[in-house]
Amino acid sequence: MSKGALKVLYTLKDAGYEAYLVGGCVRDLLLGLHPKDFDVATNATPEQVKALFKNGRIIGRRFQIVHVRFGREIIEVTTFRGPHEDATEHATDEGMLLRDNVYGTLEQDAWRRDFTINALYYTVKDFSIVDYTGGINDLKSRTIRMIGEPSVRFKEDPVRMLRAIRFAAKLNFHIQHDDEVSIKNALDENFHLLDAVSSARLFDEVLKLFMGGYATAVYELLLKENMYQQLFPFSKAAQSEFYSEFVRQGLKNTDLRIQQEKPVTPAFLFAVLLWPEVETRTKQILQHEKSVFQAINLAGHEVAEEVNQHITIPKRFRYMMYDMWALQVRLPNRGGKRAYKTLDHKRFRAGYDFLLLRSQVSQKFENSNDLNGFNNEVLASLSTWWTNFQAESDAGKKLMLKELPGKPKHKKRK
Ligand code: ATP
Ligand code: MG
């Protein structure tokens, strides 16, 4: 349990306020998991909270909250929220809430949260859990249950649909579908509303979905609920057996890296998610364009810019993706000084990892044929070559280059 969170709870309590741990941290602690962060809810206003903590800062977005910092840890302190007197006044025609910033009581705060398992409160006043919505039962039966009517709550904030998928995947819970008001049906009916969510927020949510260490489970759930296609409309190509296996393996590798506490970058994630479409389009462009290099750059920019319309991928990540994709065409060309130049490329490591992934997946498909016209065997030997080349001494590198077969001659077409 976080020392910082306890300090905040006791300081607020001693000053005469109500204060509770709430949300993911209570849920995860009850499940025996390590919470990612600790959130506190209180009846003190942001100014009153700030007055109690030297290390507190008011962060103002739609709703003011206080960040209390302890070294590297930040405890988020939020004042109880309540419902609007007239919610329709602050909603779009579709029912999406534009403002959500009225203070309320503990009970009101509970009812406006998304899922019952996220609306459990823990207090150090008597070390008890407060549960207005039935969250404890749902934790026991491993159920993601919406507070209130799913369809209405999804319309208020369509991101809750992605959150339902995320928690189901992360916790290995099932999404409630036993009542008349089924979350599953509501997902089907409302998923198109994600279009109305800002593209910056969608980028954040996609990262939360795929970079939490359980991306494979998220992917399977999205496929099962027919939502993957809607989240990434460009991804027709990803439906093929080959490419769904490619995405699955890419996500598996990402999950593994996160487990091993190795760094992962959004650029690699998106390079994987978009690759089915990028490679497919590259092959199409090659029907009337000779240079694979130009074709992949064209296809890569096209796809990334289309995606960017509804999921903003920050520029630095987009540029890294372009480099990684272009390296798939550069890595085979090793003659002269080219292998050394490629090795020095600032994205070499990511491009090489991407090649390994492509090769790994192609081994499961005998008749694979990549954008360079390579099958699984050529990809495997190319990957091995680069693995060895990196490990070799200077002399060894020279020898490897000498032993390279001459430039492959294109077969003459009759
Ligand atoms: P994680 O482990 O991913 O942090 P979390 O449940 O803590 O999961 P947060 O995004 O940190 O999720 O949000 C904290 C709490 O705020 C949630 O548990 C939930 O009670 C509430 N909440 C967050 N986003 C929403 C939303 N879109 N609609 C309603 N309640 C929300
Ligand atoms: Mg949280």
Side-chain angles (χ1 to χ4, degrees):
M1 172 87 159
S2 142
K3 284 210 183 88
L6 283 177
K7 180 98 177 66
V8 171
L9 289 178
Y10 279 105
T11 307
L12 282 164
K13 181 180 86 105
D14 293 345
Y17 299 110
E18 293 176 52
Y20 299 87
L21 276 187
V22 65
C25 59
V26 179
R27 176 197 69 214
D28 290 352
L29 284 172
L30 288 171
L31 289 170
L33 304 170
H34 270 288
K36 223 172 51 197
D37 41 41
F38 288 81
D39 296 328
V40 170
T42 176
N43 64 347
T45 64
E47 287 75 20
Q48 290 170 328
V49 175
K50 188 180 154 35
L52 290 174
F53 299 97
K54 282 198 303 280
N55 43 349
R57 275 184 56 205
I58 296 188
I59 309 289
R61 266 171 281 148
R62 297 200 303 188
F63 191 88
Q64 287 198 325
I65 58 177
V66 182
H67 277 177
V68 185
R69 180 183 278 279
F70 298 91
R72 293 178 66 193
E73 187 179 26
I74 291 176
I75 308 296
E76 216 170 270
V77 186
T78 313
T79 307
F80 297 147
R81 281 183 233 186
H84 286 278
E85 310 239 300
D86 179 6
T88 49
E89 229 175 67
H90 303 289
T92 63
D93 292 345
E94 309 265 50
M96 186 152 110
L97 286 183
L98 299 175
R99 282 174 47 214
D100 184 13
N101 53 1
V102 174
Y103 296 146
T105 63
L106 168 64
E107 179 164 4
Q108 288 171 331
D109 190 82
W111 290 104
R112 55 153 293 287
R113 290 179 182 270
D114 47 5
F115 305 105
T116 58
I117 55 166
N118 285 348
L120 294 167
Y121 298 78
Y122 170 78
T123 168
V124 290
K125 204 168 76 188
D126 54 7
F127 310 105
S128 65
I129 299 276
V130 181
D131 176 12
Y132 286 105
T133 65
I136 290 285
N137 265 335
D138 289 330
L139 271 188
K140 284 186 186 148
S141 64
R142 308 184 75 82
T143 309
I144 308 288
R145 187 186 310 278
M146 196 92 214
I147 297 175
E149 169 121 33
S151 214
V152 173
R153 303 302 311 280
F154 287 157
K155 286 190 171 81
E156 284 173 5
D157 181 4
V159 161
R160 287 173 185 152
M161 295 186 275
L162 295 178
R163 293 174 58 85
I165 296 292
R166 178 154 70 86
F167 296 127
K170 168 177 165 162
L171 307 169
N172 193 17
F173 274 31
H174 64 271
I175 297 178
Q176 166 268 334
H177 60 104
D178 41 9
D179 300 344
E180 300 112 60
V181 280
S182 149
I183 290 197
K184 284 206 181 204
N185 297 344
L187 282 173
D188 270 356
E189 282 161 29
N190 295 295
F191 210 70
H192 66 277
L193 293 178
L194 274 185
D195 288 350
V197 175
S198 87
S199 52
R201 188 163 175 223
L202 267 189
F203 175 75
D204 289 342
E205 291 302 322
V206 167
L207 291 197
K208 284 190 201 161
L209 278 171
F210 291 107
M211 293 189 26
Y214 42 89
T216 330
V218 165
Y219 180 63
E220 300 303 346
L221 259 185
L222 285 172
L223 286 182
K224 192 168 138 215
E225 304 296 333
N226 285 322
M227 286 159 63
Y228 189 74
Q229 209 60 32
Q230 295 207 49
L231 187 57
F232 299 109
F234 53 83
S235 62
K236 260 207 202 82
Q239 283 171 323
S240 76
E241 214 186 313
F242 178 84
Y243 284 121
S244 51
E245 187 55 30
F246 174 82
V247 171
R248 194 171 277 125
Q249 190 60 54
L251 296 176
K252 228 187 238 174
N253 295 0
T254 306
D255 286 348
L256 204 68
R257 287 184 69 92
I258 292 171
Q259 261 176 37
Q260 299 167 338
E261 292 179 17
K262 288 186 186 163
V264 287
T265 159
F268 195 90
L269 172 70
F270 276 91
V272 168
L273 294 176
L274 308 193
W275 179 248
E277 188 64 19
V278 171
E279 186 172 47
T280 306
R281 283 200 207 180
T282 303
K283 287 179 178 173
Q284 283 161 4
I285 295 172
L286 275 174
Q287 289 168 4
H288 52 81
E289 160 75 55
K290 282 212 188 64
S291 150
V292 204
F293 198 71
Q294 277 179 23
I296 197 166
N297 276 325
L298 211 65
H301 280 72
E302 253 180 42
V303 173
E305 271 155 34
E306 273 170 37
V307 172
N308 213 40
Q309 305 282 319
H310 72 130
I311 305 176
T312 307
I313 308 171
K315 228 188 202 151
R316 63 183 187 285
F317 298 135
R318 257 183 293 150
Y319 286 179
M320 184 167 166
M321 274 165 28
Y322 298 149
D323 284 341
M324 286 171 58
W325 290 333
L327 276 164
Q328 304 315 302
V329 175
R330 278 180 66 162
L331 284 161
N333 298 323
R334 291 154 289 173
K337 293 230 171 344
R338 274 177 291 199
Y340 293 109
K341 272 197 185 155
T342 300
L343 196 55
D344 273 346
H345 192 290
K346 67 171 186 293
R347 300 293 176 219
F348 170 79
R349 187 72 213 184
Y352 161 75
D353 282 344
F354 202 78
L355 172 70
L356 292 189
L357 171 64
R358 293 203 301 119
S359 168
Q360 182 186 5
V361 175
S362 77
Q363 301 317 313
K364 298 183 188 159
F365 296 82
E366 271 185 9
N367 300 318
S368 63
N369 176 30
D370 82 348
L371 74 170
N372 294 306
F374 297 164
N375 66 11
N376 56 321
E377 283 169 18
V378 182
L379 274 174
S381 68
L382 182 63
S383 305
T384 311
W385 191 92
W386 276 107
T387 306
N388 296 339
F389 190 67
Q390 291 172 76
E392 277 294 353
S393 63
D394 284 351
K397 281 194 174 76
K398 262 190 199 147
L399 199 67
M400 277 185 77
L401 286 172
K402 237 192 200 157
E403 284 170 353
L404 267 184
K407 211 179 169 197
K409 291 200 180 78
H410 286 284
K411 277 189 202 141
K412 272 184 204 140
R413 289 214 183 91
K414 283 195 182 147

